[in-house]
Amino acid sequence: MLSISVKEFLFWKKKQLSKGGDHQSFAFLLDCLGGISKSDLNFLNLNSDGNLYLKKNLGYLESIWEDHLLNSSPIQYLCGITFWRDLKLTVTDKVLIPRPETEIIIDIVFRIFGKKSKELFFAELGTGSGAISIALALAYPSWYGVATDIDQDALEVATKNYVNYSKQSNLKFYCGHWWTPFESFKGKLDLVISNPPYIPNDTYEKLPKEVKNFEPKIALLGGKDGLKHIREIIEKAPLYLREKAWLIMENHFDQGEKVRQLLIKNEFKSVEIVNDLSGVGRFTIGRYK
Ligand SMILES: C[S@@+](CC[C@H](N)C(=O)[O-])C[C@H]1O[C@@H](n2cnc3c(N)ncnc32)[C@H](O)[C@@H]1O
């Protein structure tokens, strides 16, 4: 721990913010790497006497902030951490930074199954950092879950995140293409969730630098119309789901109706488009027969 005067720190902070960037990202950096939380900051702004303790020196924090400003590197990758629902997760550039809108998937599951549900077998396709599966495995200790990803490096991040949170063993990770690792689970799954890559090729080219230059392409690209992976997942789902099992998919802001039609075509019932907090039809859900 390094001790510096609060006045010196506040002067330095003002100087950093004058270079650009948003206050939220700077607060994130101070919290994750400096060990100064938002409530510490509020207190220091009101009371600037005395000293404070930092986990890293100002020069180091400044170099990270400048990297963020100059190269548009996501602050979460630079800090190696992100917050998602009530989880603090490790992230590297091998995994997508889990998005706030995706948090709603857990609320959809709560709505369908209630917060106390007996044994159930769930799967997640394309787990990335493991956020969704870990949140479910922790919320439902009596459930058993399996999660896949095509990328072994992503699975290492997900496994690390799971082990950090849990001594439970109700979640296992498998490497492979969508349903392929689940051959032995055919007809057995009660719930499947996927937030697959769904960005159309043309749109990908126009994504902001902080996404396109840093987040894994394989986590984003969904082919010409963005629906390549969603289509494959839905078409094969009937082989793996039990009767009355639920499928919950995240999709791009304008894909809800097309995903709804795909579910109906593949014999799903109770098909519904669910909005995210901005009112966008971000999720499409259905029950198999
Ligand atoms: C949009 S990210 C979602 C990550 C995480 N579930 C989340 O919501 O933050 C899609 C994930 O699917 C994985 N993926 C891409 N193609 C895949 C495939 N053919 N089979 C399995 N996983 C795949 C990517 O590696 C990535 O982790």
Side-chain angles (χ1 to χ4, degrees):
M1 285 285 196
L2 305 153
S3 170
I4 66 159
S5 81
V6 175
K7 286 198 175 71
E8 187 190 343
F9 171 77
L10 291 177
F11 179 76
W12 172 84
K13 174 174 160 278
K14 200 169 163 194
K15 186 172 154 213
Q16 301 316 310
L17 283 168
S18 73
K19 296 176 186 170
D22 62 273
H23 285 237
Q24 218 184 338
S25 301
F26 193 66
F28 187 96
L29 167 70
L30 289 180
D31 187 10
C32 295
L33 297 185
I36 304 287
S37 69
K38 272 191 196 157
S39 57
D40 293 336
L41 279 180
N42 291 339
F43 178 77
L44 296 175
N45 283 327
L46 295 172
N47 183 357
S48 59
D49 291 334
N51 281 7
L52 62 79
Y53 292 93
L54 281 171
K55 284 207 267 184
K56 300 275 184 202
N57 67 45
L58 296 183
Y60 178 76
L61 296 174
E62 188 166 342
S63 68
I64 302 285
W65 185 240
E66 285 182 348
D67 189 350
H68 170 67
L69 296 179
L70 290 176
N71 303 316
S72 306
S73 328
I75 198 77
Q76 294 92 333
Y77 286 148
L78 293 170
C79 296
I81 284 167
T82 198
F83 297 96
W84 193 84
R85 288 189 76 96
D86 53 353
L87 301 173
K88 184 176 178 181
L89 299 167
T90 292
V91 284
T92 70
D93 59 4
K94 300 295 178 195
V95 299
L96 186 96
I97 299 164
R99 304 294 200 262
E101 56 267 28
T102 305
E103 295 183 2
I104 304 282
I105 287 184
I106 307 299
D107 296 310
I108 296 173
V109 174
F110 288 158
R111 195 185 85 191
I112 295 174
F113 295 97
K115 287 198 176 173
K116 286 200 172 72
S117 154
K118 289 195 220 91
E119 277 180 34
L120 182 150
F121 187 19
F122 77 91
E124 187 197 359
L125 305 182
T127 194
S129 63
I132 297 170
S133 291
I134 294 169
L136 289 180
L138 295 177
Y140 296 100
S142 62
W143 287 13
Y144 180 71
V146 287
T148 61
D149 206 285
I150 193 85
D151 185 349
Q152 185 59 40
D153 291 334
L155 287 177
E156 274 162 31
V157 175
T159 306
K160 182 174 172 193
N161 281 325
Y162 180 54
V163 171
N164 273 350
Y165 265 101
S166 178
K167 302 227 172 339
Q168 293 166 203
S169 52
N170 61 335
L171 176 61
K172 289 215 160 26
F173 296 99
Y174 295 81
C175 192
H177 176 80
W178 302 131
W179 299 98
T180 317
F182 295 162
E183 274 298 297
S184 57
F185 306 139
K186 277 188 171 158
K188 293 186 181 155
L189 293 164
D190 300 297
L191 163 68
V192 174
I193 296 140
S194 187
N195 171 19
Y198 52 65
I199 308 289
N201 293 352
D202 290 354
T203 311
Y204 178 82
E205 294 309 322
K206 296 175 212 136
L207 287 176
K209 260 203 287 195
E210 60 269 27
V211 177
K212 199 173 155 213
N213 292 357
F214 295 94
E215 301 210 70
K217 198 170 181 180
I218 198 169
L220 295 162
L221 258 191
K224 194 165 186 303
D225 63 355
L227 293 167
K228 178 179 152 196
H229 299 294
I230 290 181
R231 207 173 281 119
E232 177 173 351
I233 290 170
I234 292 178
E235 282 168 1
K236 294 198 178 139
L239 283 173
Y240 295 86
L241 299 182
R242 258 186 219 280
E243 258 188 44
K244 305 263 183 263
W246 286 91
L247 179 61
I248 302 177
M249 305 287 301
E250 182 171 322
N251 47 254
H252 206 23
F253 70 95
D254 57 353
Q255 292 169 340
E257 186 49 36
K258 286 189 182 137
V259 181
R260 196 174 81 87
Q261 291 305 330
L262 276 171
L263 286 169
I264 292 169
K265 195 172 149 201
N266 285 278
E267 296 188 75
F268 280 81
K269 306 281 183 284
S270 311
V271 178
E272 192 190 330
I273 299 172
V274 181
N275 286 354
D276 63 16
L277 293 177
S278 323
V280 167
R282 175 76 58 189
F283 312 97
T284 312
I285 69 175
R287 201 166 194 193
Y288 184 56
K289 287 198 189 166

